[in-house]
Amino acid sequence: MRMFLAIALMIPTLAVAQDRRPSHCIALADASPQMTFVHRANWQQPVAQDTVRLTYVDHAMFLIQTAGGLNAVTDYVGYTGGIDLIPDVVTMNHAHGSHWTSVPDPAIPHVLEGWKHGGAADHHLDLGEMLVRNVPTDIRSRFGGGVEKDGNSIFVFEVAGLCIGHLGHLHHEPDAAQYAALGRLDVVMAAVDGGLSLDTPTMMRVLKRLKSSVVIPMHWFGRISLNSFLAGMGDEFDVVEPDSSFIEISARSLPRRPTVMVLRPAYYNPPVE
């Protein structure tokens, strides 16, 4: 009888696991595709096939657009500028108020919070063209300086053969299990403020271990912390500053040498006609 109950209890869990699309980031964690270059683009234009457009909107907020018309926004605070955009999915973290909103537009189909009261957030959203999943990490508590377990999530967007990671408000180096859960990240957005999230030496160690082809700095408040980060990465990464908030990228167009791509954050405000 006990064996029968145990098997019965396992069936729903197995069914959920079987329904999930497997992560190609984890499956190809040891792969290192040969890559050539990165394109700049304007986020109003259609996205080319097998390509992703990344727009640095502000602070830790990026707009990820696909050839099929999907729009995802990271660390969403409720707006992206003057454009009338309803994303298909938004992700949020709650280290503080510049990384989330308590009142996301109810028209947004998928709102993924990177934390969960009483446990760890567990997201595995399959949109067909894009898979969005998370790896929980801890944050420093806002109350008393302790640790809030699983208060942050690293969100991974698997699309167009790319694995794109957003580290969120990372407060500690991932452990071995978290690194394994992330898998191979081709592109990673990383906070380089130097201390409000993760200190610069530790963040550089994380990024050099991830060995992503493109690193996009975010959450920087001036050239001092940014330049310190860039100087520390220069031994293993090229540094490119395209003077743009947009890039288009594909698995075939990633740089041959790992590159730090410094985008300029900019809200989109279309001209008034």
Side-chain angles (χ1 to χ4, degrees):
M1 182 65 177
R2 289 180 180 177
M3 182 178 295
F4 174 79
L5 288 174
I7 293 173
L9 289 172
M10 288 174 61
I11 290 174
T13 303
L14 292 173
V16 171
Q18 290 169 352
D19 288 343
R20 287 191 168 192
R21 190 174 99 202
S23 165
H24 72 263
C25 305
I26 297 174
L28 300 177
D30 295 328
S32 181
Q34 298 301 312
M35 318 180 198
T36 53
F37 57 92
V38 178
H39 295 285
R40 289 186 293 172
N42 185 301
W43 69 347
Q44 300 175 80
Q45 300 168 348
V47 181
Q49 192 66 35
D50 300 321
T51 300
V52 177
R53 179 176 301 136
L54 300 176
T55 301
Y56 189 13
V57 180
D58 183 57
H59 199 54
M61 185 163 50
F62 289 81
L63 171 63
I64 303 171
Q65 296 176 288
T66 73
L70 289 178
N71 295 291
V73 178
T74 68
D75 276 21
Y76 181 65
V77 297
Y79 56 89
T80 55
I83 188 172
D84 184 17
L85 173 68
I86 301 296
D88 298 283
V89 56
V90 300
T91 65
M92 302 189 296
N93 281 297
H94 78 149
H96 51 258
S98 55
H99 295 260
W100 70 295
T101 175
S102 61
V103 287
D105 192 320
I108 299 172
H110 305 285
V111 177
L112 308 185
E113 295 179 344
W115 70 98
K116 179 181 177 182
H117 298 294
D122 181 17
H123 299 295
H124 196 98
L125 177 64
D126 190 345
L127 298 175
E129 188 184 19
M130 176 188 289
L131 175 69
V132 186
R133 59 186 178 86
N134 74 304
V135 177
T137 65
D138 302 338
I139 60 173
R140 295 183 292 272
S141 174
R142 294 170 291 174
F143 308 102
V147 174
E148 181 181 346
K149 185 170 177 56
D150 301 321
N152 177 73
S153 279
I154 298 173
F155 281 95
V156 180
F157 303 83
E158 304 189 16
V159 56
L162 293 168
C163 299
I164 302 170
H166 185 282
L167 300 186
H169 215 279
L170 188 63
H171 286 181
H172 64 86
E173 182 170 4
D175 60 26
Q178 290 165 331
Y179 274 123
L182 288 173
R184 165 74 185 184
L185 298 182
D186 301 295
V187 181
V188 63
M189 297 86 130
V192 300
D193 54 84
L196 290 177
S197 54
L198 199 58
D199 64 273
T200 299
T202 306
M203 179 58 80
M204 290 191 298
R205 184 166 66 246
V206 170
L207 295 171
K208 289 178 179 180
R209 172 162 175 174
L210 288 173
K211 300 184 184 301
S212 299
S213 297
V214 174
V215 172
I216 303 177
M218 65 177 183
H219 208 265
W220 48 276
F221 304 99
R223 291 298 312 197
I224 293 177
S225 62
L226 178 60
N227 287 344
S228 175
F229 170 77
L230 296 178
M233 296 289 283
D235 58 336
E236 296 185 26
F237 287 72
D238 289 339
V239 175
V240 177
E241 300 197 39
D243 194 26
S244 172
S245 60
F246 313 98
I247 60 170
E248 283 190 350
I249 198 163
S250 70
R252 293 183 178 180
S253 69
L254 288 164
R256 292 182 180 274
R257 176 174 162 83
T259 299
V260 177
M261 181 74 60
V262 182
L263 298 181
R264 303 293 176 178
Y267 287 113
Y268 177 63
N269 293 296
V272 177
E273 297 182 357

